[in-house]
Amino acid sequence: MTSPDTPILAALHPRLPSPLQEVVDGRFERWGVRLLLKRDDLIHPELIGNKWRKLAPNLTAAAGRTVVTFGGSWSNHLRATAAAGRLLGIPTVGVVRGDELAGRPLNPSLARCTADGMRLHFVDRATYRRKSEPPVLAGILRAADAEEAYVVPEGGSNAEAVRGCRALGAELRGHAEAVAVACGTGGTLAGLASGLAPGQRALGVPVLRGGFLTAETEALQRAAFGGRRGTWSLDDRFHFGGYARVPAELDTFAADFEQRHGLPVERLYVAKLLYGLVTLAGEGAFPRGTAVAAVVTGRPFS
């Protein structure tokens, strides 16, 4: 795991440990549940939340080499990697899902990536799905003129990232009986759960459909630690139709939470997490007297 005195961390001046903030919300109070917000969105102004925790150890491992990584056209991970490259003077290449996007104007997210110096390489969706296969990956790297680069997987989740996220669990020891986080690839949950103390449990709220994250999270823990670690589970009910789907009900909920607590709520991950926790509290999922910590992994894109 990357230590606080590595050159990567020292150069970027992260705010660690991130603040833990209690909010008073009647939807939890009526069930005798305390809600805490683990403000990972305040770690760094550009490498926000779990992106910091997953990227820092990978950037250290890259040792100045070009970093290649993967994502969709609205990927938070691509933006964070591009920002890190600019801040640290490291070349970055973003492999973007969907070759049909190559001839179109860039959306604001990809435009931010290029402004930060990231070189974009678009691939067709069939190839993108097979990117973890060594021959396919080799072909992608060759086509992107990045054969010697350090490769970070989609979402930044690999063994290095999981070990980096272990510190998130360690920072929450003794503060909450349950810790919840929104999940895209399972890396943050895998590391978080391994860092919690005995008696604490982690809950993952997937933002994608498919019910595949249990196996993915277990595989990441095996890669990082040799086997399953910590007490954790997933609740697949709150994806709202899939990644980047923000129906009116979810947007209204997020706007209400912002008004109640003065906290900007990121819609793709954090809003789904908070909605899930309100629902679970109402279902009696948390015994009276439980403190629940919700990890705020990002903030609205601007």
Side-chain angles (χ1 to χ4, degrees):
M1 185 173 66
T2 307
S3 64
D5 57 355
T6 62
I8 292 293
L9 296 180
L12 297 183
H13 307 290
R15 184 180 182 183
L16 291 170
S18 60
L20 187 63
Q21 169 188 352
E22 182 165 2
V23 296
V24 177
D25 191 307
R27 294 168 294 185
F28 292 87
E29 276 193 308
R30 71 170 58 101
W31 305 107
V33 176
R34 295 170 56 219
L35 177 64
L36 310 174
L37 301 179
K38 179 62 168 165
R39 297 294 304 275
D40 266 19
D41 58 313
L42 300 178
I43 289 177
H44 189 275
E46 295 187 78
L47 304 185
I48 298 166
N50 60 342
K51 303 308 176 191
W52 167 270
R53 295 188 188 273
K54 292 197 285 188
L55 272 175
N58 275 291
L59 292 168
T60 299
R65 285 181 288 162
T66 296
V67 172
V68 171
T69 194
F70 304 81
S73 62
W74 291 96
S75 168
N76 293 326
H77 170 67
L78 286 182
R79 289 205 309 274
T81 303
R86 173 176 56 79
L87 292 167
L88 297 167
I90 296 173
T92 58
V93 177
V95 178
V96 184
R97 180 180 63 247
D99 59 343
E100 74 278 4
L101 302 172
R104 299 178 184 175
L106 298 177
N107 68 28
S109 184
L110 292 179
R112 176 74 62 83
C113 290
T114 59
D116 280 338
M118 175 174 275
R119 183 161 54 87
L120 301 179
H121 177 73
F122 297 88
V123 301
D124 66 86
R125 293 169 187 270
T127 300
Y128 191 91
R129 283 193 295 270
R130 299 175 58 203
K131 63 188 178 298
S132 61
E133 300 174 21
V136 176
L137 176 60
I140 292 172
L141 296 177
R142 190 163 51 248
D145 193 24
E147 292 178 271
E148 303 302 319
Y150 179 87
V151 176
V152 179
E154 183 175 24
S157 290
N158 58 9
E160 291 284 353
V162 171
R163 288 190 285 266
C165 288
R166 193 175 191 279
L168 172 59
E171 290 173 22
L172 285 162
R173 290 187 176 191
H175 293 289
E177 288 75 31
V179 180
V181 65
C183 301
T185 55
T188 304
L189 175 64
L192 161 67
S194 72
L196 294 173
Q200 290 180 294
R201 63 185 177 99
L203 170 67
V205 175
V207 301
L208 293 84
R209 293 183 298 175
F212 58 88
L213 272 185
T214 296
E216 295 287 332
T217 305
E218 288 177 343
L220 286 165
Q221 287 198 326
R222 283 196 302 273
F225 309 118
R228 185 162 174 144
R229 294 289 186 274
T231 301
W232 57 270
S233 62
L234 291 150
D235 193 319
D236 288 296
R237 294 180 292 160
F238 307 111
H239 53 71
F240 282 89
Y243 185 71
R245 301 288 179 87
V246 185
E249 180 185 7
L250 182 63
D251 191 53
T252 299
F253 168 85
D256 175 68
F257 196 96
E258 290 174 331
Q259 185 175 24
R260 287 172 185 249
H261 303 299
L263 171 75
V265 176
E266 187 272 334
R267 295 320 199 243
L268 305 189
Y269 288 85
V270 179
K272 294 179 179 182
L273 168 67
L274 295 171
Y275 185 99
L277 289 179
V278 168
T279 301
L280 287 165
E283 293 174 348
F286 307 114
R288 297 190 72 86
T290 297
V292 178
V295 182
V296 181
T297 50
R299 60 172 175 262
F301 176 63
S302 59

